[in-house]
Amino acid sequence: SQKIEQNSEALNIQEGKTATLTCNYTNYSPAYLQWYRQDPGRGPVFLLLIRENEKEKRKERLKVTFDTTLKQSLFHITASQPADSATYLCAPAGAGSYQLTFGKGTKLSVIP
Amino acid sequence: DSGVTQTPKHLITATGQRVTLRCSPRSGDLSVYWYQQSLDQGLQFLIQYYNGEERAKGNILERFSAQQFPDLHSELNLSSLELGDSALYFCASSVGLLGGGLHEQFFGPGTRLTVL
């Protein structure tokens, strides 16, 4: 069955450093991969979508890579700030997929 | 503010009862999705409606049902409630059918259900 693993449940990083979060998937080949941010008690917020033919996508301080050979996506936040502290969820999806299947998320804490 | 509204914000009820959660999607979005989030299970997809029709089903229990009305708002009905149904329930919407990939989803603020 399809499996999505996000590298760790929690990641602590010093303010100003680059945070790197990992999303690994097995037993399927997604055509898309979405990343969301979720704050405690609130709904997830869409950040980025990357397609299988895009190796990298950037949005301000965010960068996402998608390696279909390694079956992995990396999510980077450069110059991290305490306001970036949240849980980040990845959701790979096949072409023609109606629904999202989320990983359990990585809780990022940026320490001042 | 995502533009998706959910009511009520909080709901406390007893085992065996039935509740209805309501969702209004963003203006112009035709797809509505329902998710359940509990501490141990993460965010789990329940069901999707597109323009009034059911299009995808996840791990939704038989005690749960949903519908989307002509004005595109949706309701999730939970019956014979058990303690384990206590969770955050989110509604999301997207402009198109392919909210699993091509289209981003916009999530509402959620309804926190507590079953005592």
Side-chain angles (χ1 to χ4, degrees):
Chain A
S1 62
Q2 298 172 356
K3 196 174 177 184
I4 304 165
E5 286 183 345
Q6 295 194 238
N7 56 329
S8 55
E9 285 189 14
L11 181 65
N12 296 326
I13 193 162
Q14 209 70 33
E15 182 177 3
K17 300 290 187 185
T18 296
T20 298
L21 285 62
T22 305
C23 175
N24 294 300
Y25 53 89
T26 53
N27 296 330
Y28 71 130
S29 300
Y32 306 94
L33 200 145
Q34 299 191 23
W35 282 89
Y36 287 76
R37 167 187 173 138
Q38 186 175 24
D39 291 288
R42 306 190 72 170
V45 174
F46 172 80
L47 295 175
L48 283 165
L49 181 154
I50 187 165
R51 294 169 169 77
E52 62 179 337
N53 61 351
E54 297 175 318
K55 296 301 178 191
E56 180 181 299
K57 200 149 189 186
R58 292 175 186 259
K59 179 182 174 184
E60 297 171 354
R61 294 183 296 110
L62 308 181
K63 184 178 87 171
V64 170
T65 62
F66 193 3
D67 190 325
T68 54
T69 304
L70 291 178
K71 294 186 179 292
Q72 181 182 82
S73 175
L74 298 179
F75 178 84
H76 307 273
I77 306 175
T78 57
S80 57
Q81 304 166 0
D84 295 325
S85 298
T87 296
Y88 291 85
L89 306 166
C90 75
S97 244
Y98 296 151
Q99 69 212 58
L100 282 174
T101 302
F102 285 91
K104 291 201 170 179
T106 296
K107 184 176 179 180
L108 174 68
S109 297
V110 181
I111 303 160
Chain B
D1 182 1
S2 66
V4 178
T5 60
Q6 288 187 250
T7 55
K9 280 188 167 39
H10 302 276
L11 202 46
I12 301 174
T13 189
T15 54
Q17 295 298 304
R18 174 190 169 93
V19 297
T20 298
L21 313 184
R22 183 189 167 102
C23 167
S24 291
R26 282 190 331 154
S27 176
D29 284 358
L30 297 178
S31 276
V32 168
Y33 311 80
W34 286 98
Y35 293 87
Q36 179 193 57
Q37 188 172 41
S38 56
L39 280 173
D40 55 341
Q41 289 295 318
L43 198 59
Q44 299 285 314
F45 169 73
L46 296 177
I47 197 163
Q48 178 202 13
Y49 279 82
Y50 177 78
N51 204 19
E53 290 188 13
E54 181 187 307
R55 298 310 296 258
K57 226 170 182 175
N59 297 324
I60 187 167
L61 299 170
E62 283 191 14
R63 302 183 283 109
F64 295 2
S65 65
Q67 53 184 327
Q68 186 179 29
F69 295 87
D71 68 353
L72 300 178
H73 91 270
S74 178
E75 292 181 356
L76 178 68
N77 300 297
L78 315 176
S79 62
S80 303
L81 285 167
E82 301 175 0
L83 296 177
D85 297 327
S86 296
L88 262 172
Y89 290 84
F90 289 105
C91 166
S93 71
S94 70
V95 62
L97 182 56
L98 300 178
L102 188 58
H103 301 128
E104 64 186 272
Q105 292 188 21
F106 296 86
F107 283 77
T111 293
R112 183 174 293 279
L113 174 66
T114 303
V115 183
L116 300 174

